[in-house]
Amino acid sequence: MTVLEQRGTYRPTPPPAWQPRTDPAPLLPDAEPYRVLGTDAAAQTDPELLRRLYAQLVRGRRYNAQATALTKQGRLAVYPSSTGQEACEVAAALALQERDWLFPSYRDTLAVVARGVDPVEALTLLRGDRHTGYDPYEHRVAPLCTPLATQLPHAVGLAHAARLKGDDVVALAMVGDGGTSEGDFHEALNFAAVWQAPVVFLVQNNGFAISVPLAKQTAAPSLAHKAVGYGMPGRLVDGNDAVAVHEVLADAVRRAREGGGPTLVEAVTYRIEAHTNADDATRYRGDAEVETWREHDPIQLLERELTARGLLDEDLRQSARDAAETMAADLRARMNQDPVLDPMDLFSHVYAEPTPQLREQQALLRAELDAEHADQGSDQGSAHR
């Protein structure tokens, strides 16, 4: 007899028959990634959507190439390219309504640009000029997030708060396969499911967390299978099929908006370029693997569908290329201009009301700058004499 039983405060009863809170079957993803291009379903896709996706993919590929070149020229401190992942980036932006919010990671500058943010402003963080280069409230785009997965709880918090206020808002949070190994991923999905928050989680499974392949990160059948453990649907989609990704994300956004709760979407894609310009990808993967994925290029997949349906002529091709080149030329010209920066801006927008410590640091920096300017003035006076 236990101590509690001796005191008469404990009455053991037979445990009730265990029943799952929800049927897990509908939450499980399909065995194979969902595809549209190259299937009979592609014929039902709106031609205007196909053309819009194509124009954005061509522009996105050129954007990635130009940003990579700017990094080599020293105009960017670092650039995590999304070449090969353009279908995920573009579809994420186009699946949202204007009132919705996008929560990107550091690799998602293309999604930020496709959402309407100026390309130069989207690259400001990676240039090392500011913490972020655009107004998040203007574009409904959260700042690019460099720490892995920390943007996911932010997305859940915003979406939950919006629903409490009665705002018809959905948050779409993007993360890589490496980010799913972080505690923030677990916490965000758990809170989102318990609160039934209107959030869509898009995992771009590009094969590697820097140099660590997916097989060394998880033993799950797929990352989409993790959804069932949180009580939300998991969707598995071909991440290089722009139409399929757009369809799956648009459906998840609609479901969230209608009160159906969160969805975890795994898009199976591939990072063609290195992790960043500081990475040597040849140390952990072979050229043959990369070339295999080049044959499943998102732009080529869409071009085949457009051509088969008679929707892609030379005028459309050239129009898409010209628009992409115009964007790249403007980005190149503006990024080659040295920005005028005020070091005191470091203290702007940190807190609504600066803390005593922040004010102290601000005063110290101001004193150092004033002393530097005084020394420069003295040196110039000596030179004139």
Side-chain angles (χ1 to χ4, degrees):
M1 179 177 294
T2 67
V3 174
L4 289 176
E5 287 175 311
Q6 290 175 344
R7 293 176 179 173
T9 58
Y10 176 73
R11 295 290 185 273
T13 56
W18 181 84
Q19 293 293 333
R21 296 178 182 177
T22 57
D23 180 6
L27 306 180
L28 291 170
D30 295 333
E32 294 293 328
Y34 177 68
R35 295 181 176 89
V36 173
L37 296 177
T39 72
D40 293 339
Q44 308 302 318
T45 305
D46 178 13
E48 270 311 304
L49 175 61
L50 291 174
R51 294 190 185 97
R52 189 181 181 195
L53 287 169
Y54 177 72
Q56 288 284 356
L57 289 182
V58 172
R59 183 173 183 257
R61 179 63 55 84
R62 187 66 186 89
Y63 170 81
N64 271 315
Q66 185 60 70
T68 299
L70 288 167
T71 307
K72 294 178 180 178
Q73 294 163 10
R75 286 297 178 179
L76 284 175
V78 66
Y79 184 66
S81 174
S82 59
T83 297
Q85 301 178 216
E86 292 93 348
C88 297
E89 300 282 308
V90 168
L94 299 189
L96 295 173
Q97 299 295 322
E98 186 176 346
R99 60 189 179 277
D100 298 328
W101 275 79
L102 180 71
F103 282 78
S105 74
Y106 56 84
R107 195 176 299 280
D108 300 320
T109 50
L110 174 53
V112 172
V113 170
R115 180 75 169 147
V117 175
D118 182 282
V120 172
E121 293 181 355
L123 291 172
T124 297
L125 170 69
L126 302 177
R127 196 177 188 177
D129 292 343
R130 297 178 185 273
H131 296 304
T132 190
Y134 52 88
D135 182 353
Y137 292 97
E138 178 186 354
H139 302 283
R140 297 288 178 119
V141 178
L144 290 168
C145 194
T146 303
L148 289 186
T150 56
Q151 73 275 18
L152 304 187
H154 300 165
V156 176
L158 181 139
H160 181 56
R163 191 179 65 169
L164 292 177
K165 292 171 60 179
D167 293 342
D168 185 20
V169 169
V170 174
L172 192 156
M174 306 177 71
V175 68
D177 51 290
T180 67
S181 298
E182 297 289 327
D184 299 80
F185 175 82
H186 158 73
E187 292 148 8
L189 268 68
N190 195 52
F191 274 120
V194 171
W195 288 340
Q196 286 294 282
V199 187
V200 177
F201 300 98
L202 172 59
V203 178
Q204 295 180 82
N205 176 8
N206 64 19
F208 293 91
I210 308 184
S211 60
V212 181
L214 185 66
K216 292 187 177 181
Q217 297 181 62
T218 179
S222 74
L223 295 174
H225 276 80
K226 292 179 179 287
V228 68
Y230 297 97
M232 69 178 71
R235 298 293 306 275
L236 186 62
V237 62
D238 182 342
N240 287 17
D241 184 332
V243 178
V245 179
H246 183 271
E247 183 179 320
V248 168
L249 291 178
D251 182 65
V253 168
R254 175 196 56 76
R255 179 178 176 274
R257 199 183 310 282
E258 294 175 354
T263 302
L264 174 64
V265 178
E266 177 189 356
V268 181
T269 182
Y270 195 78
R271 169 167 56 78
I272 295 296
E273 304 290 345
H275 175 69
T276 67
N277 51 296
D279 173 41
D280 179 8
T282 62
R283 298 178 63 183
Y284 53 85
R285 67 183 189 186
D287 292 340
E289 177 181 317
V290 178
E291 289 306 312
T292 297
W293 275 94
R294 287 188 188 277
E295 296 173 5
H296 195 62
D297 183 272
I299 297 178
Q300 294 180 12
L301 291 177
L302 194 51
E303 282 184 341
R304 289 173 198 155
E305 181 61 32
L306 286 164
T307 302
R309 292 179 58 177
L311 300 173
L312 181 62
D313 56 20
E314 191 54 37
D315 287 344
L316 179 59
R317 283 182 193 268
Q318 194 59 48
S319 175
R321 292 171 185 161
D322 290 346
E325 285 302 325
T326 299
M327 177 275 302
D330 178 70
L331 176 61
R332 188 167 56 247
R334 292 165 63 202
M335 289 294 289
N336 281 328
Q337 299 173 6
D338 292 328
V340 178
L341 302 174
D342 183 357
M344 298 307 296
D345 283 346
L346 284 168
F347 304 96
S348 302
H349 314 297
V350 179
Y351 292 100
E353 292 293 334
T355 64
Q357 293 85 355
L358 201 64
R359 286 195 295 268
E360 180 183 355
Q361 294 170 16
Q362 188 176 26
L364 287 171
L365 179 58
R366 170 54 65 197
E368 290 179 6
L369 292 173
D370 289 344
E372 182 179 338
H373 292 157
D375 289 342
Q376 289 175 350
S378 175
D379 292 341
Q380 290 175 358
S382 299
H384 288 307
R385 288 195 296 271

